[in-house]
Amino acid sequence: MEARVSQVLVRNRRGGAAVALLLSLVLLSSGIWTDHARAAGAKKPRKEMLSLTNDARSDHRKSGLALDAQLSRYASKHSRAMARKGTLFHTADLASKLKGLDWSMGGENVGVGSSVEDVQAAFMASKDHRRNILQKAYDHAAIGIVESAGVIWVTVIFYG
């Protein structure tokens, strides 16, 4: 797994303010799921990354992050662009992507690996990526995950 140094932005705040997983694994391993069910589960990697991130935060007595679905669409486009180019890179102007949101601090983790779990483990093993994951000021995350040729490309944007 490869990871890049996370980026962090700070600005002044403006504006206002296990059973399902086990069942899914059983159904997947038994081949019971249909193609339609697999298509319906297309968001599973995003939910898995959010769950792993929030588990790490909980283990360190930090509150969980809410998923920003709209910004996650951008994060997916970013992951798709990294996969297409075959290299990791950060959003050139993260502040512009956070425009209109209630934030005073923002950051981004990008990574590539063989699974969501591998990418999360690499993030937690990296001082800078781990700092983003455990940053108390963050209360939202946007997650984009793209699979290409058996490789998972991940973009996680944090803000709060």
Side-chain angles (χ1 to χ4, degrees):
M1 191 295 185
E2 191 178 326
R4 288 279 169 98
V5 174
S6 55
Q7 79 179 176
V8 177
L9 265 84
V10 180
R11 78 169 175 115
N12 291 331
R13 182 174 291 269
R14 294 185 340 181
V19 170
L21 176 61
L22 180 59
L23 178 59
S24 296
L25 291 173
V26 169
L27 291 174
L28 180 61
S29 66
S30 68
I32 294 174
W33 268 1
T34 65
D35 287 339
H36 175 72
R38 284 189 186 109
K43 292 187 178 183
K44 182 188 179 296
R46 177 180 293 153
K47 289 180 182 180
E48 183 178 8
M49 180 60 83
L50 182 63
S51 179
L52 290 169
T53 299
N54 281 336
D55 287 350
R57 288 177 63 86
S58 177
D59 290 347
H60 291 85
R61 296 188 176 115
K62 307 287 191 268
S63 60
L65 302 171
L67 183 69
D68 183 322
Q70 184 173 348
L71 189 57
S72 289
R73 286 192 282 277
Y74 165 76
S76 293
K77 288 179 188 176
H78 185 81
S79 292
R80 198 170 301 109
M82 291 190 304
R84 193 171 39 252
K85 291 181 179 185
T87 189
L88 293 170
F89 55 90
H90 284 286
T91 299
D93 185 8
L94 186 57
S96 70
K97 301 302 177 197
L98 298 174
K99 186 175 182 176
L101 300 173
D102 183 22
W103 68 282
S104 62
M105 186 173 194
E108 179 180 59
N109 286 353
V110 296
V112 60
S114 60
S115 70
V116 171
E117 294 89 354
D118 286 348
V119 174
Q120 178 69 9
F123 283 164
M124 290 302 290
S126 160
K127 178 183 167 186
D128 293 327
H129 293 88
R130 180 183 174 97
R131 184 180 303 126
N132 267 345
I133 291 167
L134 300 178
Q135 176 56 249
K136 185 178 178 178
Y138 295 150
D139 54 15
H140 284 83
I143 301 171
I145 299 177
V146 172
E147 187 272 327
S148 177
V151 177
I152 306 292
W153 296 83
V154 178
T155 302
V156 183
I157 299 171
F158 304 91
Y159 69 91

